[in-house]
Amino acid sequence: MKILLVDDSRTMRNIQKKVLEQLGGVEFTEAGDGFEALTAMAAANSTFDLALIDWNMPNMDGLTLVKRIREKNKTLPLIMVTTEAEKNSA
């Protein structure tokens, strides 16, 4: 399974990797913002099985990234992730 982890926090990406590695047979690609994620998707020819996307990132936020992904790929499973504690933000 190929998973794209998109989060500006390396610590959060490492936590996600540790949890998901327990599934076995997982390959990760990491991106620090939406622009890096789109570049990674283009390089991999959008062959990811899942993307975990942080809501709040610099340069291109998660919601904008989701919209850009959906313009080209309607079927890739996307999971939004946030450390925001405020209910209105989440």
Side-chain angles (χ1 to χ4, degrees), residues 11-73:
T11 301
M12 287 306 298
R13 293 193 312 262
N14 287 337
I15 291 169
Q16 292 168 345
K17 282 195 297 189
K18 284 202 181 287
V19 171
L20 293 168
E21 282 173 341
Q22 296 175 26
L23 296 172
V26 182
E27 180 183 328
F28 298 101
T29 298
E30 299 181 47
D33 64 34
F35 289 114
E36 287 182 20
L38 291 174
T39 300
M41 291 184 77
N45 202 20
S46 296
T47 58
F48 293 102
D49 300 302
L50 173 67
L52 275 66
I53 302 170
D54 184 22
W55 179 271
N56 188 14
M57 297 179 289
N59 304 319
M60 180 188 294
D61 65 21
L63 187 57
T64 303
L65 175 59
V66 166
K67 289 176 183 176
R68 296 277 301 273
I69 290 171
R70 287 295 180 236
E71 288 173 1
K72 297 180 187 213
N73 187 329

